[in-house]
Amino acid sequence: MRFLLVFTLLGLSLAPAAANPVRPETLGSAAAIEAAVDRLLARMTLKEKIGQLHFPSLAFPHEPQIEAVRRGEIGAMLNVVDPRYIKAFAAAARESRLGIPMLYAIDAIYALKITFPPPLAWAATWRPDLAELAAYDVAREARALGVNWTFAPMVDVSRDPRWGRVIEGAGEDAFLASAFSAARVKGYRRGGLATSVKHFVGYGAPEGGRDYTGTEISTPELLDRYLPPFKAALDAGSETVMASFNTINGVPVTMNRALVTDLLKKRLGFDGFVTSDFVAIGELVAHGVARDLEEASVLAFKAGIDFDMASGGYDLYLARAVADGRIKVGAIDDAVRRVLRVKYRLGLFDQTEADFANLPRPVDDAAVRRSAREVARESFVMLKNDKAALPLTAATGRIALIGSSADSAQHDHSWWGPSGHQKPETETLRAALEHRMRPGQTLEYAPAFADPCGREFKDKDAAIAVAKRADVVVYNVIEDCEIQGEGVSRTKLGLSGQQKTMLDALAQTGKPIVLVVETGRPLVLAEASQQADAILIAWHPGTEGRTALAEVLTGEVAPSGKLPMTFPRAEGQIPMSYNVLPTGRPWTGSRYTTGYVDEKQTPLYPFGHGLTYTTFAYDKIVLSEPKMPVKGTIDVDVTVRNTGSRAGAEVVQLYTRQLVASRSRPVKELRAFEKITLKPGEARTVRFRLKAQDLGFHNDAGRFLVEAAPYTVMAGGSSDTALLADFVVTRD
Ligand code: NOJ
């Protein structure tokens, strides 16, 4: 209830989302859709209405479910990716009394036929346009199967790499996450899918990094850190929203009316529908807030959860709750209206048998591969590169390639496994490098491990011998495929399996080491960073990823990714992010100041960090005005120069800090960024427009404030910024 009072005060930044655009192939206008929905609702029985509000768990054979669809009792299915079944469900829906079309949902996120790098890597490109492209291609692959609803994008901001699901999001920063949230929604929708932005809300802040645990989030934190990417997704037209599993301040989101109805639907003006997460309504019993599934279902429905994902409770109990007055029929109508609205907006009522006739439709694999390659190339983050260990040039000589993952064609190290498609051919890193050897270069390979994830050794000594014979060692390590993603939290974030032991042995050889790390989350690489001369974070690069990796390692392409999440020095520093609040006692090195006695206060690699094969100088920062009114803007010109000898891309980043405020404000907050390419010696001035209204924040009462105050604006190639200037926001 606390939020109920609070959110009535929400201010400017949370104005209702723009009306969702209506697809051209649908009824034509929002008013026409509303009228069609009303006409249809008037003809529906209660049973048919409830049928639109849930899907069952996937069960084989599907025949009983197909029959239920024919009776008008199921309006959507999850994980049906076999076009034969989609055709059968669609036919049954057409044959039902009212012929209401179905939604077919899957987690089309980044891996169907062609596997892209995961969304955390998309964020590392700092190119929302590439995320849009990737989402578009994934959507096209899903659409080709007949799927029309994806459970994406996941936009949970998180500062905790122990939590395995950071792989699905855009990292720790609300501004970056919002840019990627909007881009992903646009891409999936352009590719023909309805989206479900998730997980609303706060799921990225689980206690101890343990998936599904509770969160404690203050009102300002909720509104300033966790909510903005959802707002961005709604503005981009996300048709549906998925509620999260977690509790916030003791109340599960699945029964949280203040969040789901008051904030999301009323305050943000969301008029699509809200689904629960998988069996989350049933889990209200385990949360200890409902006696049984019936009570849980009524609680969830009353909170504003329109759609029951696989708990079965709406199907079983909503009619009884209507009969005895616990739920009003008007509330059922509102939920059904939301579902039907989405179906009309998607143009599903316009579909005929012919639309399903030629499933699966062909997709231009070559085009999807090109996108996957481009995303991979731009996502790699070079954390360090001492003594120009990279790129591997003709002068490099003998290269030892170590690590079983380097010879593995397995490219879908994602637990959002590919569905419905046969896996495509992929090149191994070993093969991709071998093709690129120039005269004078040789490559000798040793797996070192028995499995692609480095769990068990195989011929460790042979690998060491190969390293000893070489001039440089390229060591490819991978975060074990089993230990990332949903439900996989870690307390230790070092290299998994035997891979660190192998690194220790390789370091003993004294050879320069290039560490290529495939991972879905920030790892703790403090010791490894002492042992390796160069570190390239390759994320899980996907079907085209190893080829892209070889391009970057050999210098055909320069790395240009930047970290979307802080890499800590030690697990004990977690949660860690760049945008913390200042403390009354900043670290001075002496006792009674903020910090750890046994570890440095800084991260190993900060948010926004990433090197390339050239260097950049930040020459100057110039403001158009020293003052800006609360409703005004100023321009910030940042001049960057390529000081190296080859062309390269740099992400110019702009941060601000409000120096004096009515509450403590973060030491830095990302406000703008742009990825630019500069030739050697070239300088460019990038102009950013800062709007005073974008610098505001929420107070404990949920009120949005933009205060007249002094600010600092900072610019650089990472959150460890290089330039700063001061300005003042004035009342008028
Ligand atoms: C549970 C996950 O939390 C959610 O993200 C996913 O969309 C559903 N399962 C359906 O697969």
Side-chain angles (χ1 to χ4, degrees):
M1 278 302 104
R2 185 172 139 211
F3 285 113
L4 192 67
L5 297 171
V6 159
F7 295 135
T8 54
L9 298 169
L10 284 179
L12 285 164
S13 74
L14 296 177
N20 290 336
V22 176
R23 306 251 169 108
E25 70 274 26
T26 64
L27 287 179
S29 79
I33 287 182
E34 294 307 307
V37 168
D38 283 340
R39 280 196 301 275
L40 189 51
L41 254 178
R43 297 172 59 205
M44 293 171 82
T45 63
L46 183 60
K47 192 131 187 85
E48 284 166 335
K49 288 177 184 173
I50 292 170
Q52 292 299 311
L53 303 182
H54 69 98
F55 59 54
S57 269
L58 193 66
F60 291 97
H62 286 321
E63 276 60 29
Q65 293 166 338
I66 291 170
E67 279 316 305
V69 169
R70 195 168 281 117
R71 292 194 301 274
E73 292 168 13
I74 298 179
M77 285 299 294
L78 172 66
N79 285 347
V80 179
V81 288
D82 182 335
R84 281 172 309 171
Y85 276 117
I86 291 191
K87 282 181 205 174
F89 276 110
R94 278 195 303 278
E95 288 153 23
S96 66
R97 191 178 75 91
L98 296 170
I100 301 175
M102 303 264 297
L103 286 168
Y104 305 96
I106 60 168
D107 290 280
I109 298 177
Y110 64 98
L112 276 137
K113 185 173 185 185
I114 310 294
T115 299
F116 280 75
L120 188 63
W122 302 4
T125 66
W126 290 61
R127 290 232 349 231
D129 60 316
L130 284 183
E132 183 178 337
L133 183 68
Y136 168 70
D137 280 329
V138 172
R140 285 199 303 153
E141 287 191 341
R143 199 74 192 89
L145 299 171
V147 166
N148 54 22
W149 184 21
T150 180
F151 292 149
M154 186 280 218
V155 301
D156 296 308
V157 169
S158 185
R159 297 175 291 161
D160 196 332
R162 292 173 299 182
W163 188 51
R165 297 199 79 168
V166 298
I167 187 174
E168 293 175 71
E172 73 190 36
D173 181 76
F175 182 81
L176 190 68
S178 298
F180 278 87
S181 171
R184 289 176 66 190
V185 168
K186 280 187 207 143
Y188 291 126
R189 294 185 77 225
R190 194 156 58 81
L193 301 181
T195 55
S196 191
V197 60
K198 68 189 190 185
H199 306 82
F200 181 81
V201 59
Y203 184 42
E207 195 178 63
R210 294 187 305 283
D211 208 358
Y212 319 121
T213 56
T215 67
E216 294 292 325
I217 303 177
S218 70
T219 300
E221 275 280 293
L222 184 76
L223 300 180
D224 293 333
R225 192 192 295 275
Y226 296 103
L227 194 63
F230 288 92
K231 171 84 166 63
L234 300 191
D235 286 343
S238 187
E239 291 85 353
T240 77
V241 173
M242 188 186 296
S244 53
F245 285 126
N246 54 288
T247 58
I248 294 194
N249 307 335
V251 183
V253 174
T254 309
M255 59 165 280
N256 200 320
R257 188 172 165 87
L259 290 176
V260 178
T261 294
D262 299 335
L263 175 60
L264 176 63
K265 292 182 176 175
K266 293 192 180 154
R267 202 65 218 176
L268 296 182
F270 174 61
D271 68 357
F273 71 90
V274 181
T275 173
S276 74
D277 202 340
F278 194 79
V279 301
I281 293 177
E283 287 172 11
L284 290 178
V285 176
H287 275 295
V289 293
R291 277 178 201 82
D292 51 28
L293 180 59
E294 178 164 357
E295 195 180 350
S297 302
V298 172
L299 269 177
F301 188 80
K302 287 189 150 189
I305 305 290
D306 304 301
F307 192 93
D308 172 3
M309 193 196 297
S311 288
Y314 282 14
D315 189 30
L316 287 171
Y317 304 117
L318 282 195
R320 187 152 75 194
V322 170
D324 64 21
R326 278 173 295 163
I327 290 177
K328 294 200 173 56
V329 102
I332 300 276
D333 285 352
D334 176 64
V336 178
R337 186 174 280 116
R338 289 169 176 275
V339 173
L340 295 179
R341 194 179 274 148
V342 166
K343 291 186 173 183
Y344 273 111
R345 284 179 178 161
L346 286 170
L348 302 188
F349 284 90
D350 304 336
Q351 288 182 333
T352 63
E353 193 177 349
D355 289 296
F356 296 88
N358 57 353
L359 296 180
R361 278 187 287 274
V363 177
D364 178 0
D365 284 354
V368 181
R369 276 178 178 276
R370 275 196 298 279
S371 313
R373 175 95 62 102
E374 201 183 341
V375 174
R377 275 180 190 142
E378 296 230 9
S379 71
F380 301 148
V381 184
M382 190 163 71
L383 295 181
K384 67 175 287 190
N385 191 20
D386 289 354
K387 296 184 227 132
L390 283 176
L392 307 168
T393 63
T396 309
R398 284 163 305 180
I399 301 165
L401 179 65
I402 310 291
S404 45
S405 50
D407 200 31
S408 166
Q410 190 182 345
H411 57 277
D412 52 336
H413 293 282
S414 75
W415 86 115
W416 291 123
S419 3
H421 278 299
Q422 223 183 346
K423 292 314 291 176
E425 288 296 302
T426 190
E427 194 176 34
T428 66
L429 178 59
R430 179 185 182 183
L433 280 175
E434 274 166 355
H435 294 160
R436 286 174 172 76
M437 288 300 100
R438 302 179 187 132
Q441 277 180 320
T442 59
L443 185 108
E444 197 177 356
Y445 168 74
F449 307 109
D451 58 283
C453 293
R455 291 180 202 133
E456 299 294 334
F457 277 122
K458 185 182 165 204
D459 289 341
K460 180 180 170 202
D461 293 342
I464 293 167
V466 168
K468 281 185 176 157
R469 283 197 287 276
D471 297 306
V472 62
V473 176
V474 177
Y475 179 35
N476 186 193
V477 295
I478 185 163
E479 187 189 22
D480 189 322
C481 356
E482 301 302 319
I483 57 170
Q484 56 172 319
E486 186 182 342
V488 189
S489 302
R490 297 175 66 187
T491 60
K492 299 179 193 68
L493 293 174
L495 302 179
S496 55
Q498 301 296 336
Q499 297 177 111
K500 178 64 173 61
T501 314
M502 188 67 213
L503 178 60
D504 294 343
L506 292 172
Q508 291 292 319
T509 66
K511 302 288 174 165
I513 296 175
V514 172
L515 189 64
V516 179
V517 186
E518 298 187 25
T519 178
R521 51 150 69 95
L523 296 176
V524 168
L525 299 173
E527 212 180 300
S529 73
Q530 302 294 315
Q531 296 166 314
D533 295 81
I535 301 181
L536 190 68
I537 299 298
W539 312 108
H540 290 294
T543 307
E544 287 289 317
R546 274 52 177 274
T547 312
L549 250 178
E551 291 172 342
V552 168
L553 290 170
T554 56
E556 238 173 84
V557 171
S560 65
K562 299 274 187 178
L563 294 179
M565 273 187 96
T566 302
F567 271 50
R569 292 176 188 277
E571 290 84 351
Q573 293 179 309
I574 297 169
M576 191 172 210
S577 67
Y578 79 95
N579 49 2
V580 290
L581 297 183
T583 149
R585 297 189 175 193
W587 173 252
T588 63
S590 67
R591 197 166 175 178
Y592 306 119
T593 61
T594 301
Y596 299 101
V597 291
D598 57 355
E599 186 50 272
K600 288 189 179 147
Q601 317 318 311
T602 52
L604 187 61
Y605 299 108
F607 173 83
H609 171 74
L611 305 174
T612 184
Y613 294 147
T614 186
T615 47
F616 298 100
Y618 279 75
D619 287 344
K620 59 180 178 189
I621 183 165
V622 178
L623 307 187
S624 59
E625 302 285 340
K627 292 183 178 177
M628 98 167 120
V630 284
K631 295 271 165 59
T633 61
I634 52 169
D635 289 338
V636 184
D637 287 350
V638 179
T639 306
V640 187
R641 196 160 35 90
N642 182 343
T643 49
S645 55
R646 65 174 278 177
E650 168 72 328
V651 180
V652 185
Q653 301 163 42
L654 202 75
Y655 298 82
T656 64
R657 174 177 180 180
Q658 185 174 344
L659 295 170
V660 183
S662 56
R663 61 189 299 122
S664 206
R665 300 291 299 131
V667 294
K668 232 168 240 189
E669 287 178 285
L670 183 68
R671 298 298 185 191
F673 60 89
E674 193 174 328
K675 196 168 192 174
I676 57 168
T677 302
L678 295 178
K679 296 192 200 80
E682 187 187 349
R684 175 133 13 118
T685 300
V686 181
R687 172 160 293 186
F688 296 106
R689 178 148 296 175
L690 273 186
K691 209 166 140 196
Q693 288 297 314
D694 291 341
L695 306 182
F697 60 90
H698 291 85
N699 65 10
D700 283 331
R703 189 185 297 279
F704 183 68
L705 303 170
V706 180
E707 296 180 331
Y711 287 78
T712 295
V713 57
M714 295 152 274
S718 85
S719 58
D720 202 357
T721 44
L723 298 172
L724 59 84
D726 291 331
F727 67 94
V728 176
V729 170
T730 58
R731 247 172 249 299
D732 38 41

